[in-house]
Amino acid sequence: MASLKDLRNRIASVKATQKITKAMQMVAAAKLRRAQLAAEAARPYAERMERVLANLGANLKNSPDAPLLLTGTGSDKRHLLVVATAERGLCGGFNGSIVRLARLHADKLIAEGKEVQFLCVGKKGAELLRRNYGGLIREKIEFPANQTPSFASADGVATKVLELYKAGEFDVATLFFSRFRSVISQTPTAQQIVPAEVPEPVEGADAPDGALYEYEPSEEEILDELLPKNVAIQIFKGLLENAASEQGARMSAMDNATRNAGEMIKKLTLTYNRTRQAQITKELIEIISGAEAL
Amino acid sequence: MDSFPFELVSPEKLLVSEEVQHVVVPGSEGEFGVMAHHAPFMTTLKPGVVKVYKTEGGEPEKLFVKGGFADVNAKGLTILADEATPLAEMGVDRIDELIKDAEEDLEDASTDDDKLKAELRLVRLRETKAVYF
């Protein structure tokens, strides 16, 4: 059995760990709030963008001049999977579940005889994917940890994706991220970003009495600028959801860890006290039997 | 004079959302003013300053936009800006930075189309700097 001194050391070390996990939980809670605010602030732009896109896209979907980003390349042989994960671990199953979904997706595509490439956003995803798909990772993008994603960083990812698309490197791009539902529930999600999915226009909402829209420059040119921006916005939205999910996941993981540490301390303290008592009893017996022997 | 709802959003936040009288927008084909009951209209923007008149004849609120889209419909005017900052909060160094970016884009431009776009942007940024800074 462990000696009293060993037990004392164990208890002290578990207590120190508990302090750390507790602090991490509180930091995650504060960051979660910030991430949620950022996600909320970004919502209006995405909503308006969707409305405009629905308007324009519906008119042009079948026109021969429609940009490639809207119509697609006409094939779906080569896929690009954009996997957005966190820069750091210690956040429960957050990174694992996103990567698992991406892996399922990739395996299905490969089984169908399609080509798959990865673009990893965030360090952890690349680390997890490297083992199985090392050769398929086209590009890794890392952001400084500890920051709510800015639009500029999302724009950087979008530029990369669009460059590859323009160069004809892939036909379909899918973004993998975790949708934030609540602190205890985040759902890994796959969303197609290229070619753009045009939302259905709301009937009669934007064109009362059939007033005709005027476009300056032409509809095609506006759409040409709008679609790349839309890709950036979708990625930005994904990254923000991801940031909130990551902090949520970390918060509950650290809460669990703190609770586990508490239980461990309780158990260890019990053993410590038992051992102490046993030793006292033993010493007493030794003294008494020594005195009796005289 | 009638007022109409005006919204200015950048990807990171909603900057303005209120009833206004008159807005002057730097459209890519020229500046244009929007008042209530404007015909449906959609355009891209060039770098410049959006002027928002909340009351008739009052001082306009000025905001710098780096580019984006404007959408006028029966529900009012919506500007989707790539980047928007109130002019008062905007430093000279930021516009200098944008000018430098545009200069670099111009050098890197490979096709005539890209070159033209970068040049137009550069000219507009310089003009904006000359007028407002």
Side-chain angles (χ1 to χ4, degrees), chain A residues 55 202-213, chain B residues 38-40 72-76:
Chain A
N55 247 340
V202 191
E203 276 305 314
D206 277 329
D209 38 276
L212 271 181
Y213 252 91
Chain B
H38 195 287
V72 189
N73 56 37
K75 283 196 229 139

Side-chain angles (χ1 to χ4, degrees), chain B residues 1-6 18-23 34-38 53-56 73-77:
Chain B
M1 197 163 72
D2 288 350
S3 62
F4 64 99
F6 166 61
E18 58 193 352
E19 290 281 322
V20 297
Q21 298 272 328
H22 181 193
V23 184
V34 179
M35 293 195 209
H37 314 300
H38 195 287
Y53 295 83
K54 270 178 229 171
T55 52
E56 216 176 331
N73 56 37
K75 283 196 229 139
L77 166 65

Side-chain angles (χ1 to χ4, degrees), chain A residues 172-209:
Chain A
V172 180
T174 316
L175 175 70
F176 291 88
F177 64 98
S178 190
R179 206 176 280 283
F180 181 81
R181 299 215 182 280
S182 73
V183 175
I184 44 164
S185 149
Q186 302 91 27
T187 339
T189 313
Q191 188 193 0
Q192 183 182 322
I193 47 174
V194 176
E197 281 178 328
V198 172
E200 285 298 308
V202 191
E203 276 305 314
D206 277 329
D209 38 276

Side-chain angles (χ1 to χ4, degrees), chain B residues 6-10 13-18 20 22-26 31 45-54 59-67 77 79 81 83-90 95 98 124 128 132-133:
Chain B
F6 166 61
E7 277 178 343
L8 176 61
V9 286
S10 77
K13 66 178 186 196
L14 179 69
L15 279 108
V16 185
S17 174
E18 58 193 352
V20 297
H22 181 193
V23 184
V24 177
V25 189
E31 290 213 335
L45 304 183
K46 56 188 177 182
V49 173
V50 176
K51 286 176 230 147
V52 186
Y53 295 83
K54 270 178 229 171
E59 260 305 295
E61 192 183 326
K62 292 179 189 147
L63 298 114
F64 175 83
V65 292
K66 201 182 116 191
L77 166 65
I79 294 182
E83 189 186 307
T85 338
L87 205 57
E89 290 167 25
M90 175 115 171
I95 192 137
L98 289 173
R124 270 301 297 174
T128 313
Y132 294 101
F133 289 92

